[in-house]
Amino acid sequence: MKCIVVTPEKTLVDEDAKFIVAPLYDGEYGIDADHAPVVGRLGVGEMRLTLVNDAVQYWFIDGGILEVVDNVATFLTNRACPISDLNVGEARKAIEDANRLPMGSLAEVEIRTEALARANAQLKAAEKAHAMK
Amino acid sequence: MELVSTAQFRPAMLRANAADSYAKRIVQLVSDLAQTGLKTEHPLLAKRETKKRAVLFILTANRGMCGGYNSSVLRLALAKLRELQSEYEQVDLFVSGKRGISFLKYRKIEIERSYTEFDHKPSYDRVLELANELLTLYKKGDIDRFDVAYVKFFSTAKQTPVVETLLPLSNLEVEASGNNEKKLDYEFLPSPQSILEEVIPNAFRTLLFKRLLDAAVSEQVARMMAMKAATDNADEMISSLTTSYNRARQSQITNEIIEVISGASALK
Protein backbone atom coordinates (compact mmCIF):
# COMPACT_ATOMS: atom_id res chain seq x y z
CA MET A 1 0.00 0.00 0.00
CA LYS A 2 1.29 3.45 -0.89
CA CYS A 3 1.08 6.49 1.31
CA ILE A 4 1.30 9.92 -0.27
CA VAL A 5 1.20 13.26 1.55
CA VAL A 6 0.80 16.26 -0.75
CA THR A 7 0.80 19.95 0.12
CA PRO A 8 0.40 22.68 -2.50
CA GLU A 9 4.14 23.27 -2.23
CA LYS A 10 5.42 19.74 -2.63
CA THR A 11 4.96 16.03 -2.13
CA LEU A 12 6.28 15.33 1.36
CA VAL A 13 5.79 11.56 1.61
CA ASP A 14 5.67 8.92 -1.08
CA GLU A 15 6.37 5.59 0.63
CA ASP A 16 5.26 1.98 0.73
CA ALA A 17 3.42 1.50 3.99
CA LYS A 18 2.17 -1.42 6.03
CA PHE A 19 -0.34 0.42 8.13
CA ILE A 20 -1.47 4.02 8.47
CA VAL A 21 -3.29 5.77 11.29
CA ALA A 22 -4.89 8.95 10.00
CA PRO A 23 -6.27 11.80 12.15
CA LEU A 24 -9.84 12.15 10.86
CA TYR A 25 -12.21 14.89 12.02
CA ASP A 26 -13.70 12.69 14.76
CA GLY A 27 -10.74 10.57 15.81
CA GLU A 28 -8.13 8.19 14.51
CA TYR A 29 -8.78 6.03 11.48
CA GLY A 30 -6.69 2.94 10.66
CA ILE A 31 -5.93 1.97 7.08
CA ASP A 32 -4.60 -1.48 6.20
CA ALA A 33 -3.86 -2.90 2.75
CA ASP A 34 -6.81 -3.39 0.35
CA HIS A 35 -8.96 -0.84 2.13
CA ALA A 36 -12.29 0.11 0.55
CA PRO A 37 -12.38 3.46 -1.33
CA VAL A 38 -12.88 6.26 1.17
CA VAL A 39 -12.86 10.03 1.10
CA GLY A 40 -12.56 11.44 4.58
CA ARG A 41 -12.26 14.81 6.20
CA LEU A 42 -9.01 15.13 8.10
CA GLY A 43 -8.73 16.83 11.42
CA VAL A 44 -5.65 18.41 12.91
CA GLY A 45 -3.35 15.93 14.55
CA GLU A 46 -0.76 13.22 14.30
CA MET A 47 -0.50 10.67 11.47
CA ARG A 48 1.38 7.44 12.21
CA LEU A 49 2.91 5.70 9.26
CA THR A 50 4.29 2.16 9.68
CA LEU A 51 6.65 1.44 6.82
CA VAL A 52 7.35 -1.95 5.25
CA ASN A 53 10.48 -2.34 7.40
CA ASP A 54 8.38 -1.71 10.57
CA ALA A 55 9.90 1.72 11.12
CA VAL A 56 7.30 4.26 12.28
CA GLN A 57 7.12 7.84 11.06
CA TYR A 58 5.12 10.50 12.92
CA TRP A 59 3.68 13.39 10.90
CA PHE A 60 1.65 16.39 11.97
CA ILE A 61 -1.25 16.96 9.56
CA ASP A 62 -3.15 20.25 9.55
CA GLY A 63 -6.57 19.32 8.20
CA GLY A 64 -7.45 18.56 4.62
CA ILE A 65 -8.78 15.50 2.86
CA LEU A 66 -7.82 11.84 2.90
CA GLU A 67 -8.53 9.73 -0.15
CA VAL A 68 -8.01 5.96 -0.16
CA VAL A 69 -8.40 4.19 -3.47
CA ASP A 70 -6.63 1.31 -5.25
CA ASN A 71 -4.25 0.72 -2.33
CA VAL A 72 -3.07 4.33 -2.39
CA ALA A 73 -3.76 6.60 0.58
CA THR A 74 -3.44 10.25 -0.40
CA PHE A 75 -3.41 13.03 2.18
CA LEU A 76 -4.23 16.41 0.66
CA THR A 77 -3.31 18.97 3.28
CA ASN A 78 -2.28 22.58 3.56
CA ARG A 79 0.46 21.95 6.03
CA ALA A 80 2.29 18.86 7.20
CA CYS A 81 5.61 18.30 8.94
CA PRO A 82 7.36 15.64 11.03
CA ILE A 83 6.17 16.11 14.62
CA SER A 84 9.80 16.55 15.68
CA ASP A 85 9.71 19.91 13.85
CA LEU A 86 7.00 21.20 16.19
CA ASN A 87 7.85 23.44 19.09
CA VAL A 88 6.02 23.36 22.44
CA GLY A 89 6.56 27.08 23.05
CA GLU A 90 5.14 28.04 19.67
CA ALA A 91 2.12 25.81 20.19
CA ARG A 92 1.42 27.41 23.61
CA LYS A 93 1.65 30.82 22.00
CA ALA A 94 -0.79 29.72 19.28
CA ILE A 95 -3.29 28.76 22.01
CA GLU A 96 -2.90 32.16 23.67
CA ASP A 97 -3.38 33.91 20.32
CA ALA A 98 -6.49 31.83 19.59
CA ASN A 99 -7.92 32.67 23.01
CA ARG A 100 -7.56 36.35 22.25
CA LEU A 101 -9.68 36.18 19.06
CA PRO A 102 -13.02 38.05 19.16
CA MET A 103 -16.35 36.28 19.71
CA GLY A 104 -18.71 38.97 18.45
CA SER A 105 -20.66 37.02 15.84
CA LEU A 106 -21.38 33.40 15.04
CA ALA A 107 -18.80 33.43 12.21
CA GLU A 108 -16.17 34.81 14.60
CA VAL A 109 -16.93 32.15 17.21
CA GLU A 110 -16.52 29.49 14.53
CA ILE A 111 -13.15 30.89 13.47
CA ARG A 112 -11.99 31.06 17.08
CA THR A 113 -13.08 27.49 17.87
CA GLU A 114 -11.24 26.24 14.81
CA ALA A 115 -8.05 28.11 15.69
CA LEU A 116 -8.20 26.84 19.26
CA ALA A 117 -8.66 23.21 18.18
CA ARG A 118 -5.74 23.55 15.78
CA ALA A 119 -3.47 25.04 18.44
CA ASN A 120 -4.41 22.35 20.97
CA ALA A 121 -3.69 19.54 18.50
CA GLN A 122 -0.37 21.18 17.70
CA LEU A 123 0.54 21.34 21.39
CA LYS A 124 -0.39 17.69 21.90
CA ALA A 125 1.80 16.56 19.00
CA ALA A 126 4.64 18.86 20.05
CA GLU A 127 4.58 17.50 23.60
CA LYS A 128 4.66 13.95 22.30
CA ALA A 129 7.64 14.73 20.07
CA HIS A 130 9.34 16.39 23.04
CA ALA A 131 8.74 13.32 25.24
CA MET A 132 10.12 11.00 22.55
CA LYS A 133 13.41 12.89 22.34
CA MET B 1 20.47 38.54 -16.85
CA GLU B 2 19.32 35.91 -19.31
CA LEU B 3 21.27 33.24 -17.40
CA VAL B 4 19.91 34.43 -14.05
CA SER B 5 16.31 34.26 -15.21
CA THR B 6 16.90 30.88 -16.87
CA ALA B 7 18.25 29.60 -13.54
CA GLN B 8 15.26 31.02 -11.65
CA PHE B 9 12.79 29.75 -14.20
CA ARG B 10 13.42 26.04 -13.54
CA PRO B 11 12.64 25.92 -9.80
CA ALA B 12 9.67 28.25 -10.33
CA MET B 13 8.35 25.88 -12.96
CA LEU B 14 8.81 22.86 -10.66
CA ARG B 15 6.91 24.61 -7.87
CA ALA B 16 4.11 25.50 -10.25
CA ASN B 17 3.89 21.87 -11.37
CA ALA B 18 3.74 20.62 -7.78
CA ALA B 19 0.87 23.00 -7.01
CA ASP B 20 -0.80 21.96 -10.23
CA SER B 21 -0.90 18.29 -9.23
CA TYR B 22 -2.47 19.27 -5.89
CA ALA B 23 -5.02 21.50 -7.63
CA LYS B 24 -5.89 18.73 -10.08
CA ARG B 25 -6.52 16.26 -7.25
CA ILE B 26 -8.82 18.78 -5.56
CA VAL B 27 -10.74 19.39 -8.77
CA GLN B 28 -10.99 15.63 -9.29
CA LEU B 29 -12.45 15.31 -5.79
CA VAL B 30 -15.07 17.95 -6.53
CA SER B 31 -16.03 16.08 -9.67
CA ASP B 32 -16.23 12.78 -7.72
CA LEU B 33 -18.46 14.53 -5.21
CA ALA B 34 -20.64 15.88 -7.99
CA GLN B 35 -21.07 12.33 -9.28
CA THR B 36 -22.58 11.19 -6.00
CA GLY B 37 -25.60 13.23 -6.96
CA LEU B 38 -24.85 15.80 -4.31
CA LYS B 39 -25.87 19.28 -5.30
CA THR B 40 -22.63 21.20 -5.06
CA GLU B 41 -23.89 24.10 -3.05
CA HIS B 42 -21.58 26.15 -0.91
CA PRO B 43 -21.48 29.81 0.11
CA LEU B 44 -18.18 30.22 -1.74
CA LEU B 45 -19.67 28.88 -4.97
CA ALA B 46 -22.86 30.93 -5.00
CA LYS B 47 -23.03 34.23 -6.82
CA ARG B 48 -23.76 37.19 -4.56
CA GLU B 49 -26.61 39.55 -5.24
CA THR B 50 -25.15 42.32 -3.10
CA LYS B 51 -22.65 44.51 -4.89
CA LYS B 52 -20.92 46.53 -2.22
CA ARG B 53 -17.21 45.86 -2.22
CA ALA B 54 -15.00 44.06 -4.72
CA VAL B 55 -11.27 43.40 -4.52
CA LEU B 56 -8.96 43.27 -7.51
CA PHE B 57 -5.56 41.70 -6.91
CA ILE B 58 -2.95 42.66 -9.51
CA LEU B 59 0.22 40.58 -9.81
CA THR B 60 3.21 42.37 -11.32
CA ALA B 61 6.96 41.97 -11.06
CA ASN B 62 9.28 43.66 -8.58
CA ARG B 63 11.76 44.42 -11.31
CA GLY B 64 11.62 45.47 -14.93
CA MET B 65 13.67 44.17 -17.84
CA CYS B 66 11.01 41.67 -18.77
CA GLY B 67 9.60 43.14 -21.95
CA GLY B 68 5.87 43.81 -21.99
CA TYR B 69 5.15 41.61 -18.95
CA ASN B 70 4.13 44.37 -16.50
CA SER B 71 2.44 46.69 -18.98
CA SER B 72 0.29 43.93 -20.48
CA VAL B 73 -1.17 42.85 -17.14
CA LEU B 74 -1.59 46.46 -15.93
CA ARG B 75 -3.45 47.47 -19.09
CA LEU B 76 -5.87 44.59 -18.64
CA ALA B 77 -6.25 45.25 -14.92
CA LEU B 78 -7.15 48.93 -15.46
CA ALA B 79 -9.86 47.97 -17.94
CA LYS B 80 -11.23 45.47 -15.40
CA LEU B 81 -11.03 48.08 -12.64
CA ARG B 82 -13.21 50.47 -14.61
CA GLU B 83 -15.68 47.68 -15.31
CA LEU B 84 -15.86 46.71 -11.62
CA GLN B 85 -16.18 50.34 -10.53
CA SER B 86 -19.30 50.74 -12.66
CA GLU B 87 -20.82 47.63 -11.03
CA TYR B 88 -19.71 47.85 -7.38
CA GLU B 89 -19.96 50.65 -4.84
CA GLN B 90 -16.35 50.23 -3.77
CA VAL B 91 -13.43 48.53 -5.48
CA ASP B 92 -10.20 47.99 -3.54
CA LEU B 93 -6.89 47.30 -5.22
CA PHE B 94 -4.38 44.82 -3.83
CA VAL B 95 -1.13 45.06 -5.76
CA SER B 96 1.87 42.78 -5.68
CA GLY B 97 5.16 43.92 -7.22
CA LYS B 98 7.02 47.25 -7.13
CA ARG B 99 6.40 47.88 -10.84
CA GLY B 100 2.65 47.80 -10.46
CA ILE B 101 2.76 49.87 -7.28
CA SER B 102 4.81 52.66 -8.85
CA PHE B 103 2.70 52.61 -12.03
CA LEU B 104 -0.54 53.05 -10.09
CA LYS B 105 0.97 55.71 -7.81
CA TYR B 106 2.05 57.64 -10.89
CA ARG B 107 -1.48 57.36 -12.24
CA LYS B 108 -2.75 58.53 -8.81
CA ILE B 109 -4.89 55.42 -8.40
CA GLU B 110 -5.41 54.51 -4.78
CA ILE B 111 -3.96 51.20 -3.60
CA GLU B 112 -5.57 49.54 -0.61
CA ARG B 113 -2.74 47.09 0.03
CA SER B 114 0.63 46.47 -1.56
CA TYR B 115 2.89 43.43 -1.41
CA THR B 116 6.49 43.09 -2.52
CA GLU B 117 7.38 39.79 -0.87
CA PHE B 118 5.81 37.34 -3.34
CA ASP B 119 8.31 37.98 -6.14
CA HIS B 120 9.78 34.96 -7.90
CA LYS B 121 9.32 32.56 -4.98
CA PRO B 122 5.98 33.09 -3.22
CA SER B 123 5.86 31.15 0.06
CA TYR B 124 2.74 29.12 0.70
CA ASP B 125 2.52 30.17 4.35
CA ARG B 126 2.29 33.82 3.34
CA VAL B 127 -0.30 33.07 0.64
CA LEU B 128 -2.24 30.95 3.13
CA GLU B 129 -2.44 33.93 5.49
CA LEU B 130 -3.79 36.16 2.75
CA ALA B 131 -6.19 33.48 1.48
CA ASN B 132 -7.59 32.82 4.96
CA GLU B 133 -8.06 36.53 5.53
CA LEU B 134 -9.93 36.87 2.25
CA LEU B 135 -12.08 33.84 3.07
CA THR B 136 -12.97 35.38 6.44
CA LEU B 137 -13.83 38.71 4.81
CA TYR B 138 -15.95 36.93 2.23
CA LYS B 139 -17.74 34.81 4.82
CA LYS B 140 -18.55 37.89 6.90
CA GLY B 141 -19.85 39.63 3.79
CA ASP B 142 -17.20 42.38 3.88
CA ILE B 143 -16.26 41.61 0.29
CA ASP B 144 -18.55 40.30 -2.42
CA ARG B 145 -16.09 39.49 -5.14
CA PHE B 146 -12.39 38.79 -5.56
CA ASP B 147 -10.57 38.95 -8.89
CA VAL B 148 -6.96 38.28 -9.79
CA ALA B 149 -5.18 39.90 -12.74
CA TYR B 150 -2.00 38.07 -13.72
CA VAL B 151 -0.09 36.59 -16.63
CA LYS B 152 -1.18 32.99 -17.08
CA PHE B 153 1.49 30.51 -18.06
CA PHE B 154 0.58 28.01 -20.79
CA SER B 155 4.01 27.09 -22.13
CA THR B 156 7.40 28.73 -22.57
CA ALA B 157 6.10 30.05 -25.89
CA LYS B 158 2.73 31.31 -24.64
CA GLN B 159 1.76 33.46 -21.67
CA THR B 160 -1.39 35.54 -21.69
CA PRO B 161 -2.54 38.26 -19.28
CA VAL B 162 -5.93 37.32 -17.80
CA VAL B 163 -8.36 38.41 -15.08
CA GLU B 164 -10.05 35.57 -13.22
CA THR B 165 -12.71 35.60 -10.53
CA LEU B 166 -11.68 33.48 -7.54
CA LEU B 167 -14.54 34.43 -5.22
CA PRO B 168 -17.21 33.26 -5.83
CA LEU B 169 -15.52 30.13 -7.14
CA SER B 170 -18.01 29.54 -9.92
CA ASN B 171 -15.54 28.16 -12.44
CA LEU B 172 -14.59 25.24 -10.19
CA GLU B 173 -17.63 23.23 -11.26
CA VAL B 174 -16.88 23.89 -14.92
CA GLU B 175 -13.33 22.63 -14.46
CA ALA B 176 -14.56 19.62 -12.54
CA SER B 177 -17.19 18.62 -15.06
CA GLY B 178 -14.48 18.29 -17.70
CA ASN B 179 -12.81 15.15 -16.34
CA ASN B 180 -15.26 12.41 -15.50
CA GLU B 181 -13.17 9.42 -16.55
CA LYS B 182 -13.60 6.98 -13.71
CA LYS B 183 -16.55 6.30 -11.51
CA LEU B 184 -15.91 4.95 -8.07
CA ASP B 185 -18.09 4.18 -5.14
CA TYR B 186 -16.50 6.06 -2.31
CA GLU B 187 -17.48 5.97 1.27
CA PHE B 188 -17.61 9.55 2.51
CA LEU B 189 -16.61 10.30 6.07
CA PRO B 190 -18.64 11.93 7.50
CA SER B 191 -20.73 13.02 4.46
CA PRO B 192 -20.21 14.39 0.94
CA GLN B 193 -21.50 17.76 2.15
CA SER B 194 -18.92 17.95 4.92
CA ILE B 195 -16.12 16.95 2.54
CA LEU B 196 -17.26 19.72 0.24
CA GLU B 197 -17.03 22.20 3.10
CA GLU B 198 -13.39 21.23 3.56
CA VAL B 199 -12.52 20.99 -0.13
CA ILE B 200 -13.93 24.29 -1.38
CA PRO B 201 -11.88 26.66 0.86
CA ASN B 202 -8.84 24.49 0.11
CA ALA B 203 -9.50 24.80 -3.59
CA PHE B 204 -9.58 28.59 -3.22
CA ARG B 205 -6.27 28.66 -1.32
CA THR B 206 -4.61 26.41 -3.86
CA LEU B 207 -5.96 28.32 -6.83
CA LEU B 208 -4.73 31.61 -5.37
CA PHE B 209 -1.30 30.08 -4.72
CA LYS B 210 -1.27 28.65 -8.24
CA ARG B 211 -1.99 32.11 -9.68
CA LEU B 212 0.99 33.56 -7.83
CA LEU B 213 3.25 30.73 -9.01
CA ASP B 214 2.01 31.12 -12.58
CA ALA B 215 2.78 34.82 -12.47
CA ALA B 216 6.28 34.06 -11.16
CA VAL B 217 6.97 31.55 -13.93
CA SER B 218 5.61 33.90 -16.62
CA GLU B 219 7.78 36.70 -15.27
CA GLN B 220 10.93 34.59 -15.57
CA VAL B 221 10.01 33.46 -19.08
CA ALA B 222 9.29 37.05 -20.14
CA ARG B 223 12.61 38.18 -18.68
CA MET B 224 14.42 35.31 -20.36
CA MET B 225 12.96 36.27 -23.75
CA ALA B 226 13.59 39.99 -23.27
CA MET B 227 17.18 39.43 -22.17
CA LYS B 228 17.82 36.97 -24.98
CA ALA B 229 16.60 39.57 -27.47
CA ALA B 230 18.82 42.19 -25.77
CA THR B 231 21.88 39.89 -25.94
CA ASP B 232 21.21 39.11 -29.61
CA ASN B 233 20.83 42.81 -30.42
CA ALA B 234 24.06 43.65 -28.59
CA ASP B 235 25.91 40.89 -30.48
CA GLU B 236 24.65 42.28 -33.78
CA MET B 237 25.69 45.77 -32.77
CA ILE B 238 29.16 44.56 -31.75
CA SER B 239 29.72 42.91 -35.10
CA SER B 240 28.58 45.95 -37.10
CA LEU B 241 30.70 48.28 -34.92
CA THR B 242 33.73 45.98 -35.32
CA THR B 243 33.31 46.11 -39.10
CA SER B 244 33.16 49.91 -39.20
CA TYR B 245 36.11 50.17 -36.78
CA ASN B 246 38.19 47.87 -39.00
CA ARG B 247 37.22 49.83 -42.11
CA ALA B 248 38.27 53.10 -40.50
CA ARG B 249 41.55 51.59 -39.32
CA GLN B 250 42.22 50.16 -42.78
CA SER B 251 41.61 53.47 -44.54
CA GLN B 252 43.84 55.26 -42.04
CA ILE B 253 46.68 52.78 -42.72
CA THR B 254 46.16 53.18 -46.47
CA ASN B 255 46.36 56.95 -46.07
CA GLU B 256 49.60 56.72 -44.09
CA ILE B 257 51.18 54.38 -46.68
CA ILE B 258 50.20 56.76 -49.48
CA GLU B 259 51.76 59.64 -47.52
CA VAL B 260 55.01 57.68 -46.98
CA ILE B 261 55.17 56.60 -50.63
CA SER B 262 54.42 60.05 -51.94
CA GLY B 263 57.00 61.55 -49.54
CA ALA B 264 59.62 59.04 -50.68
CA SER B 265 58.91 59.65 -54.34
CA ALA B 266 59.17 63.44 -53.80
CA LEU B 267 62.70 62.99 -52.37
CA LYS B 268 63.88 61.14 -55.52
Side-chain angles (χ1 to χ4, degrees):
Chain A
M1 175 177 55
K2 256 206 148 21
C3 176
I4 300 172
V5 178
V6 207
T7 69
E9 272 186 302
K10 61 179 168 193
T11 304
L12 286 169
V13 180
D14 190 347
E15 306 256 20
D16 283 321
K18 231 184 205 176
F19 190 71
I20 305 165
V21 179
L24 280 200
Y25 69 104
D26 60 347
E28 292 192 327
Y29 189 76
I31 306 153
D32 211 336
D34 296 322
H35 197 284
V38 158
V39 174
R41 189 173 184 168
L42 288 166
V44 184
E46 169 204 89
M47 186 265 277
R48 288 193 298 282
L49 172 62
T50 313
L51 299 177
V52 184
N53 60 5
D54 283 331
V56 183
Q57 290 185 356
Y58 299 86
W59 289 84
F60 177 73
I61 305 270
D62 190 350
I65 298 287
L66 162 73
E67 185 185 27
V68 184
V69 67
D70 294 337
N71 258 332
V72 181
T74 313
F75 291 80
L76 293 169
T77 176
N78 280 320
R79 209 159 60 92
C81 64
I83 60 166
S84 52
D85 285 4
L86 294 173
N87 183 317
V88 179
E90 269 174 34
R92 290 228 167 89
K93 196 179 164 290
I95 293 181
E96 276 171 30
D97 289 347
N99 271 324
R100 250 180 263 128
L101 288 173
M103 290 193 286
S105 66
L106 201 61
E108 277 178 349
V109 172
E110 234 172 71
I111 292 162
R112 183 177 182 271
T113 316
E114 209 177 287
L116 208 53
R118 169 168 292 120
N120 274 320
Q122 200 170 327
L123 178 66
K124 203 175 152 202
E127 278 174 346
K128 176 166 180 178
H130 190 70
M132 274 160 57
K133 265 177 199 169
Chain B
M1 270 311 268
E2 188 195 342
L3 287 178
V4 171
S5 48
T6 312
Q8 285 179 349
F9 163 68
R10 291 204 163 275
M13 178 89 174
L14 288 178
R15 279 162 65 90
N17 283 343
D20 206 28
S21 71
Y22 184 91
K24 273 193 187 136
R25 278 172 198 269
I26 294 262
V27 170
Q28 178 66 44
L29 258 181
V30 176
S31 107
D32 286 344
L33 286 168
Q35 278 183 9
T36 61
L38 172 83
K39 229 171 164 279
T40 42
E41 266 176 12
H42 191 272
L44 294 183
L45 295 175
K47 215 169 178 178
R48 290 259 175 101
E49 293 303 320
T50 47
K51 297 200 165 182
K52 269 196 197 141
R53 185 174 168 215
V55 173
L56 179 61
F57 191 21
I58 309 175
L59 305 181
T60 62
N62 267 344
R63 274 163 296 169
M65 292 200 267
C66 44
Y69 174 82
N70 290 312
S71 56
S72 66
V73 66
L74 283 167
R75 198 178 313 128
L76 194 73
L78 283 189
K80 188 73 188 175
L81 177 66
R82 277 192 288 274
E83 190 190 315
L84 286 172
Q85 274 168 341
S86 64
E87 253 184 81
Y88 288 82
E89 281 173 32
Q90 185 190 349
V91 182
D92 288 341
L93 279 185
F94 287 16
V95 186
S96 163
K98 286 180 194 158
R99 289 277 139 173
I101 296 167
S102 60
F103 172 86
L104 292 167
K105 268 192 190 149
Y106 178 73
R107 286 279 193 108
K108 298 206 167 48
I109 298 173
E110 204 182 314
I111 301 173
E112 174 74 17
R113 260 194 246 174
S114 52
Y115 302 90
T116 52
E117 69 268 39
F118 292 129
D119 209 16
H120 65 274
K121 214 178 163 193
S123 87
Y124 185 66
D125 284 344
R126 190 68 195 82
V127 178
L128 195 65
E129 241 172 68
L130 174 66
N132 286 343
E133 194 191 335
L134 285 164
L135 283 173
T136 313
L137 284 174
Y138 192 80
K139 265 187 216 159
K140 282 193 207 159
D142 285 347
I143 57 172
D144 298 313
R145 181 171 166 163
F146 176 68
D147 284 60
V148 184
Y150 73 107
V151 180
K152 194 177 182 129
F153 175 80
F154 293 96
S155 69
T156 40
K158 191 185 173 197
Q159 303 93 40
T160 325
V162 287
V163 183
E164 288 174 349
T165 310
L166 285 193
L167 285 176
L169 260 174
S170 46
N171 58 349
L172 193 66
E173 286 172 75
V174 182
E175 277 184 46
S177 60
N179 41 19
N180 291 335
E181 298 144 8
K182 50 176 184 179
K183 197 168 160 56
L184 281 162
D185 281 331
Y186 283 105
E187 183 189 347
F188 291 98
L189 298 171
S191 67
Q193 188 60 42
S194 164
I195 301 280
L196 198 69
E197 267 163 34
E198 179 75 33
V199 169
I200 302 289
N202 262 336
F204 168 71
R205 294 182 192 115
T206 318
L207 290 178
L208 180 62
F209 185 51
K210 179 80 188 18
R211 300 298 176 266
L212 280 153
L213 291 176
D214 248 29
V217 177
S218 300
E219 181 196 332
Q220 296 309 330
V221 174
R223 184 163 295 126
M224 228 159 75
M225 298 290 183
M227 288 302 110
K228 186 168 170 21
T231 313
D232 289 351
N233 280 344
D235 282 347
E236 221 170 87
M237 205 184 263
I238 286 173
S239 89
S240 85
L241 282 175
T242 314
T243 317
S244 40
Y245 167 74
N246 280 342
R247 282 214 186 108
R249 190 174 61 107
Q250 193 80 47
S251 67
Q252 199 192 348
I253 292 168
T254 317
N255 270 344
E256 275 175 24
I257 291 175
I258 290 171
E259 270 168 32
V260 171
I261 292 173
S262 52
S265 58
L267 285 176
K268 269 184 193 169

